[in-house]
Amino acid sequence: MSNHKFIRVWEENGIGRIELNRTKVLNAINRPMVTEIITALEQFDRDHDVSAIVINGGGRAFAAGADIDEMAGDTPVSLELLNQFAEWDRIQGIKKPIIAAVHGFALGGGFELVLSCDVVFAAEDAKFGFPEVKLGVMPGAGGTVKLTKAMGKAKALEWLWTGDSMDAAVAERHGLITRLVAPEVLLEEALAFAARLVQQAPLSLRLIKDTVNKAIDYSVYEGMQAERKNFYLLFASRDQKEGMKAFIEKRPPEFRGE
Ligand code: HXC
């Protein structure tokens, strides 16, 4: 267990665990918490013993947004000088799989944190939304962009303009969620999925993530060129030799991430 102030961080069975831990304010994300999250993610990304990362919220929510008390007095100049989104941007640089396990509210910046993860397990009671419009602002950490890419303009505007929360089942229908599960098995299911990733070839996992992320923005041609280069690159790995040798020898592979 770590000594962070706003999150709890630990490692178990090859899985890096991050639990948001400001439960009295539904894990409202203040700036030091963002720093703690990105620092923990980057440490896990460099840790050879960690193959996948799971993020969840302690208490009754994932996160009810950025900390409104902290933001209320901001000005354009204070925000420009603070450049807080530079830290959010670093989440995109994490190469290992990040799995969100979401229950309760995931609103505003909390929803943006979910959309920054690779795979989302959601409890049936989870509620996602961008209520910023009700505060006279709008999402600022990629929410409008990622929601629009996921569900198209017409639907995205409906959610962004009303600020309504969508049930987990609706979020699943929009392709925002990997798997919807009963609240009591949320962590169990997310950890079981992470445990499956721990068994896979780590370099394959990271280059698949890289290629899928490129597929979101690239043309089909560019995406396929990027895919091909990553495919070739994996033939430089020890794990490719081991994986194919193990298949031929009819035994399970022993991957090392090399
Ligand atoms: C600061 C928050 C908070 C937030 C909840 N709290 N959300 N504090 N920032 N985002 C605090 C409440 O003030 C309250 O503190 C305690 O958490 C419990 O919340 P309640 O409101 O009593 O709980 P409940 O009645 O169940 O309502 C839950 C809720 C509501 C519907 C989620 O708390 C709510 O509307 N929260 C704000 C959601 C929001 O607008 N998020 C977007 C923020 S803007 P006390 O001290 O009274 O017990 C944003 C911009 C992102 O995220 C920009 C990029 C980073």
Side-chain angles (χ1 to χ4, degrees), residues 22-29 34 60-61 63-71 84-85 88 105-112 129-135 137-143 165:
R22 255 194 116 198
T23 55
K24 282 198 180 125
V25 285
L26 306 183
N27 298 322
I29 303 172
V34 177
R60 69 180 171 97
D67 186 331
I68 297 169
D69 295 321
E70 183 184 54
M71 258 182 311
Q84 64 179 14
F85 294 118
W88 282 85
F105 293 105
L107 304 178
F111 194 8
E112 286 171 314
F130 286 116
E132 283 91 337
V133 68
K134 299 176 190 171
L135 300 168
V137 288
M138 59 181 282
S165 295

mmCIF file of all heavy atoms in Angstrom, residues 22-29 34 60-61 63-71 84-85 88 105-112 129-135 137-143 165, ligand 1:
data_model
loop_
_atom_site.group_PDB
_atom_site.id
_atom_site.type_symbol
_atom_site.label_atom_id
_atom_site.label_comp_id
_atom_site.label_asym_id
_atom_site.label_seq_id
_atom_site.Cartn_x
_atom_site.Cartn_y
_atom_site.Cartn_z
ATOM 1 N N ARG A 22 -10.872 9.630 -2.423
ATOM 2 C CA ARG A 22 -11.351 10.896 -1.816
ATOM 3 C C ARG A 22 -12.844 10.700 -1.634
ATOM 4 O O ARG A 22 -13.675 11.439 -2.173
ATOM 5 C CB ARG A 22 -11.135 12.054 -2.791
ATOM 6 C CG ARG A 22 -10.010 12.976 -2.483
ATOM 7 C CD ARG A 22 -10.142 14.238 -3.333
ATOM 8 N NE ARG A 22 -10.356 15.423 -2.554
ATOM 9 C CZ ARG A 22 -10.833 16.558 -3.045
ATOM 10 N NH1 ARG A 22 -11.176 16.657 -4.313
ATOM 11 N NH2 ARG A 22 -10.997 17.594 -2.251
ATOM 12 N N THR A 23 -13.158 9.674 -0.892
ATOM 13 C CA THR A 23 -14.530 9.155 -0.927
ATOM 14 C C THR A 23 -15.563 10.144 -0.380
ATOM 15 O O THR A 23 -16.706 10.106 -0.803
ATOM 16 C CB THR A 23 -14.609 7.830 -0.149
ATOM 17 O OG1 THR A 23 -14.095 8.050 1.175
ATOM 18 C CG2 THR A 23 -13.779 6.749 -0.809
ATOM 19 N N LYS A 24 -15.143 11.037 0.538
ATOM 20 C CA LYS A 24 -16.123 11.986 1.127
ATOM 21 C C LYS A 24 -16.717 12.909 0.075
ATOM 22 O O LYS A 24 -17.833 13.397 0.223
ATOM 23 C CB LYS A 24 -15.456 12.825 2.217
ATOM 24 C CG LYS A 24 -15.309 12.064 3.511
ATOM 25 C CD LYS A 24 -15.064 12.993 4.695
ATOM 26 C CE LYS A 24 -14.927 12.156 5.948
ATOM 27 N NZ LYS A 24 -13.678 12.420 6.670
ATOM 28 N N VAL A 25 -15.957 13.184 -1.000
ATOM 29 C CA VAL A 25 -16.474 14.050 -2.084
ATOM 30 C C VAL A 25 -16.607 13.243 -3.377
ATOM 31 O O VAL A 25 -16.420 13.761 -4.473
ATOM 32 C CB VAL A 25 -15.588 15.306 -2.283
ATOM 33 C CG1 VAL A 25 -15.817 16.310 -1.159
ATOM 34 C CG2 VAL A 25 -14.111 14.946 -2.366
ATOM 35 N N LEU A 26 -16.973 11.987 -3.219
ATOM 36 C CA LEU A 26 -17.222 11.095 -4.367
ATOM 37 C C LEU A 26 -16.035 11.082 -5.330
ATOM 38 O O LEU A 26 -16.209 11.061 -6.548
ATOM 39 C CB LEU A 26 -18.516 11.489 -5.086
ATOM 40 C CG LEU A 26 -19.777 11.587 -4.203
ATOM 41 C CD1 LEU A 26 -21.007 11.920 -5.056
ATOM 42 C CD2 LEU A 26 -20.019 10.297 -3.439
ATOM 43 N N ASN A 27 -14.837 11.113 -4.752
ATOM 44 C CA ASN A 27 -13.589 11.051 -5.525
ATOM 45 C C ASN A 27 -13.447 12.197 -6.532
ATOM 46 O O ASN A 27 -12.890 12.010 -7.624
ATOM 47 C CB ASN A 27 -13.434 9.692 -6.233
ATOM 48 C CG ASN A 27 -13.364 8.565 -5.231
ATOM 49 O OD1 ASN A 27 -12.762 8.702 -4.175
ATOM 50 N ND2 ASN A 27 -14.004 7.446 -5.539
ATOM 51 N N ALA A 28 -13.993 13.360 -6.172
ATOM 52 C CA ALA A 28 -13.802 14.552 -7.013
ATOM 53 C C ALA A 28 -12.300 14.691 -7.285
ATOM 54 O O ALA A 28 -11.475 14.609 -6.364
ATOM 55 C CB ALA A 28 -14.355 15.792 -6.321
ATOM 56 N N ILE A 29 -11.975 14.900 -8.545
ATOM 57 C CA ILE A 29 -10.567 14.852 -8.973
ATOM 58 C C ILE A 29 -9.941 16.236 -8.852
ATOM 59 O O ILE A 29 -10.214 17.109 -9.678
ATOM 60 C CB ILE A 29 -10.473 14.332 -10.428
ATOM 61 C CG1 ILE A 29 -11.142 12.957 -10.544
ATOM 62 C CG2 ILE A 29 -9.026 14.291 -10.895
ATOM 63 C CD1 ILE A 29 -11.276 12.450 -11.975
ATOM 64 N N VAL A 34 -4.694 14.214 -9.895
ATOM 65 C CA VAL A 34 -4.286 13.925 -11.282
ATOM 66 C C VAL A 34 -2.782 13.618 -11.316
ATOM 67 O O VAL A 34 -2.342 12.655 -11.955
ATOM 68 C CB VAL A 34 -4.613 15.108 -12.231
ATOM 69 C CG1 VAL A 34 -4.111 14.815 -13.644
ATOM 70 C CG2 VAL A 34 -6.102 15.383 -12.238
ATOM 71 N N ARG A 60 -18.667 5.177 -2.823
ATOM 72 C CA ARG A 60 -19.882 4.917 -3.599
ATOM 73 C C ARG A 60 -19.863 5.418 -5.041
ATOM 74 O O ARG A 60 -20.884 5.412 -5.726
ATOM 75 C CB ARG A 60 -21.115 5.439 -2.859
ATOM 76 C CG ARG A 60 -21.253 6.934 -2.740
ATOM 77 C CD ARG A 60 -22.535 7.282 -1.965
ATOM 78 N NE ARG A 60 -22.635 8.664 -1.624
ATOM 79 C CZ ARG A 60 -23.332 9.563 -2.334
ATOM 80 N NH1 ARG A 60 -23.987 9.191 -3.409
ATOM 81 N NH2 ARG A 60 -23.378 10.818 -1.940
ATOM 82 N N ALA A 61 -18.702 5.894 -5.528
ATOM 83 C CA ALA A 61 -18.635 6.379 -6.915
ATOM 84 C C ALA A 61 -17.267 6.085 -7.522
ATOM 85 O O ALA A 61 -16.295 5.846 -6.792
ATOM 86 C CB ALA A 61 -18.874 7.884 -6.951
ATOM 87 N N ALA A 63 -15.915 8.533 -9.877
ATOM 88 C CA ALA A 63 -15.486 9.925 -9.625
ATOM 89 C C ALA A 63 -16.559 10.867 -10.163
ATOM 90 O O ALA A 63 -16.962 10.751 -11.323
ATOM 91 C CB ALA A 63 -14.154 10.225 -10.301
ATOM 92 N N ALA A 64 -17.000 11.807 -9.306
ATOM 93 C CA ALA A 64 -18.091 12.729 -9.683
ATOM 94 C C ALA A 64 -17.569 13.979 -10.382
ATOM 95 O O ALA A 64 -18.211 15.022 -10.348
ATOM 96 C CB ALA A 64 -18.909 13.103 -8.457
ATOM 97 N N GLY A 65 -16.406 13.883 -11.004
ATOM 98 C CA GLY A 65 -15.912 15.006 -11.803
ATOM 99 C C GLY A 65 -14.690 15.657 -11.227
ATOM 100 O O GLY A 65 -14.191 15.256 -10.173
ATOM 101 N N ALA A 66 -14.225 16.681 -11.953
ATOM 102 C CA ALA A 66 -13.132 17.489 -11.410
ATOM 103 C C ALA A 66 -13.662 18.230 -10.185
ATOM 104 O O ALA A 66 -14.875 18.422 -10.044
ATOM 105 C CB ALA A 66 -12.650 18.475 -12.469
ATOM 106 N N ASP A 67 -12.748 18.631 -9.312
ATOM 107 C CA ASP A 67 -13.128 19.271 -8.046
ATOM 108 C C ASP A 67 -13.650 20.686 -8.323
ATOM 109 O O ASP A 67 -12.885 21.583 -8.690
ATOM 110 C CB ASP A 67 -11.892 19.312 -7.131
ATOM 111 C CG ASP A 67 -12.237 19.813 -5.748
ATOM 112 O OD1 ASP A 67 -13.194 20.608 -5.612
ATOM 113 O OD2 ASP A 67 -11.551 19.411 -4.795
ATOM 114 N N ILE A 68 -14.956 20.865 -8.150
ATOM 115 C CA ILE A 68 -15.591 22.151 -8.476
ATOM 116 C C ILE A 68 -15.085 23.261 -7.552
ATOM 117 O O ILE A 68 -14.860 24.397 -7.989
ATOM 118 C CB ILE A 68 -17.129 22.017 -8.408
ATOM 119 C CG1 ILE A 68 -17.611 21.002 -9.459
ATOM 120 C CG2 ILE A 68 -17.806 23.373 -8.642
ATOM 121 C CD1 ILE A 68 -19.070 20.582 -9.328
ATOM 122 N N ASP A 69 -14.865 22.940 -6.278
ATOM 123 C CA ASP A 69 -14.362 23.965 -5.334
ATOM 124 C C ASP A 69 -13.010 24.501 -5.797
ATOM 125 O O ASP A 69 -12.739 25.702 -5.723
ATOM 126 C CB ASP A 69 -14.216 23.370 -3.924
ATOM 127 C CG ASP A 69 -15.571 22.972 -3.357
ATOM 128 O OD1 ASP A 69 -16.537 23.716 -3.583
ATOM 129 O OD2 ASP A 69 -15.672 21.908 -2.718
ATOM 130 N N GLU A 70 -12.176 23.597 -6.285
ATOM 131 C CA GLU A 70 -10.828 23.990 -6.714
ATOM 132 C C GLU A 70 -10.876 24.871 -7.970
ATOM 133 O O GLU A 70 -10.076 25.785 -8.135
ATOM 134 C CB GLU A 70 -10.011 22.724 -6.991
ATOM 135 C CG GLU A 70 -8.564 22.959 -7.367
ATOM 136 C CD GLU A 70 -7.867 21.650 -7.726
ATOM 137 O OE1 GLU A 70 -8.371 20.910 -8.598
ATOM 138 O OE2 GLU A 70 -6.827 21.349 -7.142
ATOM 139 N N MET A 71 -11.861 24.560 -8.853
ATOM 140 C CA MET A 71 -11.932 25.228 -10.161
ATOM 141 C C MET A 71 -12.655 26.568 -10.130
ATOM 142 O O MET A 71 -12.498 27.384 -11.048
ATOM 143 C CB MET A 71 -12.751 24.346 -11.124
ATOM 144 C CG MET A 71 -11.984 23.537 -12.104
ATOM 145 S SD MET A 71 -13.137 22.628 -13.171
ATOM 146 C CE MET A 71 -14.260 21.862 -12.055
ATOM 147 N N GLN A 84 -2.803 22.406 -16.795
ATOM 148 C CA GLN A 84 -3.093 21.126 -16.144
ATOM 149 C C GLN A 84 -3.336 19.984 -17.124
ATOM 150 O O GLN A 84 -3.125 18.815 -16.798
ATOM 151 C CB GLN A 84 -4.304 21.260 -15.226
ATOM 152 C CG GLN A 84 -5.588 21.579 -15.982
ATOM 153 C CD GLN A 84 -6.800 21.699 -15.057
ATOM 154 O OE1 GLN A 84 -6.663 21.789 -13.864
ATOM 155 N NE2 GLN A 84 -7.975 21.718 -15.630
ATOM 156 N N PHE A 85 -3.764 20.320 -18.337
ATOM 157 C CA PHE A 85 -4.086 19.235 -19.268
ATOM 158 C C PHE A 85 -2.837 18.531 -19.791
ATOM 159 O O PHE A 85 -2.924 17.450 -20.355
ATOM 160 C CB PHE A 85 -4.982 19.742 -20.399
ATOM 161 C CG PHE A 85 -6.332 20.159 -19.872
ATOM 162 C CD1 PHE A 85 -6.766 21.471 -19.988
ATOM 163 C CD2 PHE A 85 -7.138 19.248 -19.211
ATOM 164 C CE1 PHE A 85 -8.004 21.854 -19.462
ATOM 165 C CE2 PHE A 85 -8.375 19.622 -18.686
ATOM 166 C CZ PHE A 85 -8.801 20.924 -18.814
ATOM 167 N N TRP A 88 -2.959 15.385 -17.951
ATOM 168 C CA TRP A 88 -3.969 14.482 -18.529
ATOM 169 C C TRP A 88 -3.434 13.850 -19.820
ATOM 170 O O TRP A 88 -3.639 12.665 -20.079
ATOM 171 C CB TRP A 88 -5.268 15.246 -18.831
ATOM 172 C CG TRP A 88 -6.118 15.521 -17.640
ATOM 173 C CD1 TRP A 88 -6.008 16.563 -16.766
ATOM 174 C CD2 TRP A 88 -7.243 14.746 -17.175
ATOM 175 N NE1 TRP A 88 -6.989 16.488 -15.803
ATOM 176 C CE2 TRP A 88 -7.760 15.389 -16.033
ATOM 177 C CE3 TRP A 88 -7.864 13.576 -17.631
ATOM 178 C CZ2 TRP A 88 -8.863 14.906 -15.330
ATOM 179 C CZ3 TRP A 88 -8.956 13.094 -16.935
ATOM 180 C CH2 TRP A 88 -9.451 13.751 -15.790
ATOM 181 N N PHE A 105 -21.234 7.023 -9.841
ATOM 182 C CA PHE A 105 -21.085 8.129 -10.784
ATOM 183 C C PHE A 105 -19.700 8.163 -11.444
ATOM 184 O O PHE A 105 -18.684 7.975 -10.778
ATOM 185 C CB PHE A 105 -21.296 9.469 -10.070
ATOM 186 C CG PHE A 105 -22.703 9.675 -9.581
ATOM 187 C CD1 PHE A 105 -23.009 9.567 -8.230
ATOM 188 C CD2 PHE A 105 -23.721 9.977 -10.474
ATOM 189 C CE1 PHE A 105 -24.308 9.752 -7.779
ATOM 190 C CE2 PHE A 105 -25.032 10.159 -10.031
ATOM 191 C CZ PHE A 105 -25.319 10.041 -8.678
ATOM 192 N N ALA A 106 -19.707 8.388 -12.757
ATOM 193 C CA ALA A 106 -18.476 8.724 -13.491
ATOM 194 C C ALA A 106 -18.850 9.946 -14.318
ATOM 195 O O ALA A 106 -19.347 9.827 -15.438
ATOM 196 C CB ALA A 106 -18.018 7.576 -14.369
ATOM 197 N N LEU A 107 -18.667 11.122 -13.741
ATOM 198 C CA LEU A 107 -19.167 12.361 -14.348
ATOM 199 C C LEU A 107 -18.010 13.305 -14.680
ATOM 200 O O LEU A 107 -16.969 13.288 -14.011
ATOM 201 C CB LEU A 107 -20.118 13.080 -13.377
ATOM 202 C CG LEU A 107 -21.325 12.278 -12.873
ATOM 203 C CD1 LEU A 107 -22.134 13.116 -11.890
ATOM 204 C CD2 LEU A 107 -22.199 11.804 -14.023
ATOM 205 N N GLY A 108 -18.228 14.147 -15.685
ATOM 206 C CA GLY A 108 -17.256 15.180 -16.013
ATOM 207 C C GLY A 108 -15.855 14.599 -16.166
ATOM 208 O O GLY A 108 -15.634 13.664 -16.937
ATOM 209 N N GLY A 109 -14.918 15.146 -15.385
ATOM 210 C CA GLY A 109 -13.539 14.649 -15.437
ATOM 211 C C GLY A 109 -13.450 13.168 -15.083
ATOM 212 O O GLY A 109 -12.536 12.468 -15.544
ATOM 213 N N GLY A 110 -14.393 12.670 -14.281
ATOM 214 C CA GLY A 110 -14.413 11.233 -13.956
ATOM 215 C C GLY A 110 -14.727 10.409 -15.182
ATOM 216 O O GLY A 110 -14.126 9.348 -15.421
ATOM 217 N N PHE A 111 -15.669 10.896 -15.996
ATOM 218 C CA PHE A 111 -16.006 10.229 -17.262
ATOM 219 C C PHE A 111 -14.817 10.341 -18.220
ATOM 220 O O PHE A 111 -14.476 9.400 -18.945
ATOM 221 C CB PHE A 111 -17.257 10.896 -17.841
ATOM 222 C CG PHE A 111 -17.947 10.155 -18.957
ATOM 223 C CD1 PHE A 111 -17.574 8.864 -19.339
ATOM 224 C CD2 PHE A 111 -19.010 10.747 -19.632
ATOM 225 C CE1 PHE A 111 -18.233 8.188 -20.374
ATOM 226 C CE2 PHE A 111 -19.670 10.083 -20.659
ATOM 227 C CZ PHE A 111 -19.285 8.813 -21.031
ATOM 228 N N GLU A 112 -14.149 11.497 -18.211
ATOM 229 C CA GLU A 112 -12.984 11.668 -19.095
ATOM 230 C C GLU A 112 -11.858 10.718 -18.698
ATOM 231 O O GLU A 112 -11.143 10.195 -19.560
ATOM 232 C CB GLU A 112 -12.521 13.133 -19.080
ATOM 233 C CG GLU A 112 -13.478 14.004 -19.876
ATOM 234 C CD GLU A 112 -13.237 15.486 -19.759
ATOM 235 O OE1 GLU A 112 -13.043 15.963 -18.620
ATOM 236 O OE2 GLU A 112 -13.263 16.176 -20.791
ATOM 237 N N GLY A 129 -21.774 10.710 -17.443
ATOM 238 C CA GLY A 129 -22.338 11.932 -17.997
ATOM 239 C C GLY A 129 -21.379 13.099 -17.939
ATOM 240 O O GLY A 129 -20.349 13.054 -17.261
ATOM 241 N N PHE A 130 -21.756 14.135 -18.700
ATOM 242 C CA PHE A 130 -20.994 15.385 -18.714
ATOM 243 C C PHE A 130 -21.913 16.513 -18.240
ATOM 244 O O PHE A 130 -22.557 17.180 -19.053
ATOM 245 C CB PHE A 130 -20.455 15.673 -20.121
ATOM 246 C CG PHE A 130 -19.297 14.784 -20.490
ATOM 247 C CD1 PHE A 130 -19.393 13.880 -21.543
ATOM 248 C CD2 PHE A 130 -18.102 14.853 -19.776
ATOM 249 C CE1 PHE A 130 -18.321 13.054 -21.871
ATOM 250 C CE2 PHE A 130 -17.028 14.042 -20.102
ATOM 251 C CZ PHE A 130 -17.131 13.135 -21.154
ATOM 252 N N PRO A 131 -21.999 16.745 -16.907
ATOM 253 C CA PRO A 131 -22.890 17.795 -16.390
ATOM 254 C C PRO A 131 -22.293 19.195 -16.448
ATOM 255 O O PRO A 131 -22.879 20.135 -15.917
ATOM 256 C CB PRO A 131 -23.123 17.351 -14.938
ATOM 257 C CG PRO A 131 -21.926 16.547 -14.578
ATOM 258 C CD PRO A 131 -21.352 15.982 -15.839
ATOM 259 N N GLU A 132 -21.127 19.353 -17.102
ATOM 260 C CA GLU A 132 -20.437 20.654 -17.102
ATOM 261 C C GLU A 132 -21.340 21.786 -17.575
ATOM 262 O O GLU A 132 -21.242 22.916 -17.113
ATOM 263 C CB GLU A 132 -19.185 20.603 -18.004
ATOM 264 C CG GLU A 132 -17.996 19.889 -17.385
ATOM 265 C CD GLU A 132 -17.976 18.407 -17.708
ATOM 266 O OE1 GLU A 132 -19.041 17.832 -18.014
ATOM 267 O OE2 GLU A 132 -16.868 17.813 -17.632
ATOM 268 N N VAL A 133 -22.226 21.485 -18.548
ATOM 269 C CA VAL A 133 -23.111 22.515 -19.098
ATOM 270 C C VAL A 133 -23.919 23.182 -17.984
ATOM 271 O O VAL A 133 -24.223 24.378 -18.047
ATOM 272 C CB VAL A 133 -24.020 21.899 -20.201
ATOM 273 C CG1 VAL A 133 -25.018 20.901 -19.616
ATOM 274 C CG2 VAL A 133 -24.732 22.958 -21.013
ATOM 275 N N LYS A 134 -24.222 22.411 -16.941
ATOM 276 C CA LYS A 134 -25.022 22.955 -15.830
ATOM 277 C C LYS A 134 -24.204 23.883 -14.941
ATOM 278 O O LYS A 134 -24.746 24.569 -14.078
ATOM 279 C CB LYS A 134 -25.586 21.810 -14.975
ATOM 280 C CG LYS A 134 -26.504 20.878 -15.748
ATOM 281 C CD LYS A 134 -26.944 19.729 -14.860
ATOM 282 C CE LYS A 134 -27.645 18.660 -15.674
ATOM 283 N NZ LYS A 134 -27.906 17.447 -14.901
ATOM 284 N N LEU A 135 -22.875 23.851 -15.121
ATOM 285 C CA LEU A 135 -21.985 24.725 -14.348
ATOM 286 C C LEU A 135 -21.512 25.910 -15.186
ATOM 287 O O LEU A 135 -20.660 26.684 -14.762
ATOM 288 C CB LEU A 135 -20.746 23.935 -13.895
ATOM 289 C CG LEU A 135 -20.973 22.705 -13.014
ATOM 290 C CD1 LEU A 135 -19.698 21.885 -12.907
ATOM 291 C CD2 LEU A 135 -21.451 23.120 -11.632
ATOM 292 N N VAL A 137 -19.849 25.583 -17.990
ATOM 293 C CA VAL A 137 -18.602 25.255 -18.710
ATOM 294 C C VAL A 137 -18.844 24.078 -19.655
ATOM 295 O O VAL A 137 -19.980 23.839 -20.093
ATOM 296 C CB VAL A 137 -17.417 24.997 -17.745
ATOM 297 C CG1 VAL A 137 -16.962 26.290 -17.110
ATOM 298 C CG2 VAL A 137 -17.743 23.949 -16.698
ATOM 299 N N MET A 138 -17.821 23.343 -19.958
ATOM 300 C CA MET A 138 -17.911 22.190 -20.860
ATOM 301 C C MET A 138 -16.739 21.267 -20.553
ATOM 302 O O MET A 138 -15.824 21.659 -19.824
ATOM 303 C CB MET A 138 -17.870 22.648 -22.323
ATOM 304 C CG MET A 138 -16.613 23.423 -22.685
ATOM 305 S SD MET A 138 -16.604 23.986 -24.404
ATOM 306 C CE MET A 138 -16.167 22.456 -25.237
ATOM 307 N N PRO A 139 -16.742 20.060 -21.087
ATOM 308 C CA PRO A 139 -15.595 19.173 -20.825
ATOM 309 C C PRO A 139 -14.305 19.776 -21.366
ATOM 310 O O PRO A 139 -14.327 20.502 -22.361
ATOM 311 C CB PRO A 139 -15.962 17.896 -21.592
ATOM 312 C CG PRO A 139 -17.444 17.933 -21.717
ATOM 313 C CD PRO A 139 -17.798 19.391 -21.866
ATOM 314 N N GLY A 140 -13.189 19.452 -20.726
ATOM 315 C CA GLY A 140 -11.909 20.032 -21.149
ATOM 316 C C GLY A 140 -10.787 19.022 -21.276
ATOM 317 O O GLY A 140 -9.689 19.359 -21.710
ATOM 318 N N ALA A 141 -11.052 17.771 -20.892
ATOM 319 C CA ALA A 141 -9.977 16.761 -20.957
ATOM 320 C C ALA A 141 -10.319 15.678 -21.992
ATOM 321 O O ALA A 141 -10.103 14.500 -21.761
ATOM 322 C CB ALA A 141 -9.740 16.146 -19.578
ATOM 323 N N GLY A 142 -10.874 16.140 -23.125
ATOM 324 C CA GLY A 142 -11.111 15.197 -24.237
ATOM 325 C C GLY A 142 -12.530 14.659 -24.325
ATOM 326 O O GLY A 142 -12.846 13.903 -25.240
ATOM 327 N N GLY A 143 -13.403 15.070 -23.396
ATOM 328 C CA GLY A 143 -14.755 14.494 -23.356
ATOM 329 C C GLY A 143 -15.556 14.696 -24.626
ATOM 330 O O GLY A 143 -16.153 13.756 -25.147
ATOM 331 N N SER A 165 -27.254 12.199 -17.182
ATOM 332 C CA SER A 165 -26.397 11.015 -16.971
ATOM 333 C C SER A 165 -26.988 9.835 -17.717
ATOM 334 O O SER A 165 -28.202 9.645 -17.716
ATOM 335 C CB SER A 165 -26.352 10.661 -15.488
ATOM 336 O OG SER A 165 -25.729 11.692 -14.780
HETATM 337 C C1 HXC B 1 -16.393 18.885 -5.567
HETATM 338 C C2 HXC B 1 -18.024 17.345 -5.109
HETATM 339 C C3 HXC B 1 -18.123 17.006 -6.478
HETATM 340 C C4 HXC B 1 -17.260 17.684 -7.410
HETATM 341 C C5 HXC B 1 -19.532 15.806 -5.390
HETATM 342 N N1 HXC B 1 -18.922 16.567 -4.480
HETATM 343 N N2 HXC B 1 -19.067 16.057 -6.615
HETATM 344 N N3 HXC B 1 -17.168 18.270 -4.681
HETATM 345 N N4 HXC B 1 -16.415 18.618 -6.895
HETATM 346 N N5 HXC B 1 -17.238 17.429 -8.694
HETATM 347 C C6 HXC B 1 -19.146 16.566 -3.029
HETATM 348 C C7 HXC B 1 -20.442 17.229 -2.646
HETATM 349 O O1 HXC B 1 -20.295 18.629 -2.608
HETATM 350 C C8 HXC B 1 -20.690 16.624 -1.293
HETATM 351 O O2 HXC B 1 -19.851 17.273 -0.361
HETATM 352 C C9 HXC B 1 -20.171 15.210 -1.429
HETATM 353 O O3 HXC B 1 -19.298 15.240 -2.567
HETATM 354 C C10 HXC B 1 -21.272 14.209 -1.698
HETATM 355 O O4 HXC B 1 -22.047 14.651 -2.788
HETATM 356 P P1 HXC B 1 -23.628 14.875 -2.747
HETATM 357 O O5 HXC B 1 -23.958 15.897 -3.746
HETATM 358 O O6 HXC B 1 -24.102 15.092 -1.337
HETATM 359 O O7 HXC B 1 -24.131 13.424 -3.203
HETATM 360 P P2 HXC B 1 -25.464 13.067 -4.023
HETATM 361 O O8 HXC B 1 -26.625 13.834 -3.477
HETATM 362 O O9 HXC B 1 -25.534 11.580 -4.075
HETATM 363 O O10 HXC B 1 -25.207 13.624 -5.498
HETATM 364 C C11 HXC B 1 -24.175 13.025 -6.263
HETATM 365 C C12 HXC B 1 -23.899 13.906 -7.525
HETATM 366 C C13 HXC B 1 -23.606 15.356 -7.090
HETATM 367 C C14 HXC B 1 -25.140 13.877 -8.432
HETATM 368 C C15 HXC B 1 -22.735 13.266 -8.264
HETATM 369 O O11 HXC B 1 -22.597 15.340 -6.063
HETATM 370 C C16 HXC B 1 -23.101 16.233 -8.188
HETATM 371 O O12 HXC B 1 -23.887 16.721 -9.016
HETATM 372 N N6 HXC B 1 -21.794 16.480 -8.233
HETATM 373 C C17 HXC B 1 -21.183 17.359 -9.212
HETATM 374 C C18 HXC B 1 -21.042 16.641 -10.532
HETATM 375 C C19 HXC B 1 -20.412 17.531 -11.582
HETATM 376 O O13 HXC B 1 -20.943 18.612 -11.895
HETATM 377 N N7 HXC B 1 -19.285 17.081 -12.162
HETATM 378 C C20 HXC B 1 -18.588 17.847 -13.182
HETATM 379 C C21 HXC B 1 -17.576 18.765 -12.547
HETATM 380 S S1 HXC B 1 -16.813 19.769 -13.748
HETATM 381 P P3 HXC B 1 -20.401 17.753 1.083
HETATM 382 O O14 HXC B 1 -19.234 18.477 1.678
HETATM 383 O O15 HXC B 1 -21.606 18.602 0.820
HETATM 384 O O16 HXC B 1 -20.755 16.452 1.762
HETATM 385 C C22 HXC B 1 -15.663 18.785 -14.478
HETATM 386 C C23 HXC B 1 -14.815 19.461 -15.539
HETATM 387 C C24 HXC B 1 -13.713 18.595 -16.012
HETATM 388 O O17 HXC B 1 -15.516 17.654 -14.187
HETATM 389 C C25 HXC B 1 -12.671 19.408 -16.696
HETATM 390 C C26 HXC B 1 -11.461 18.571 -17.102
HETATM 391 C C27 HXC B 1 -10.663 18.026 -15.963
#
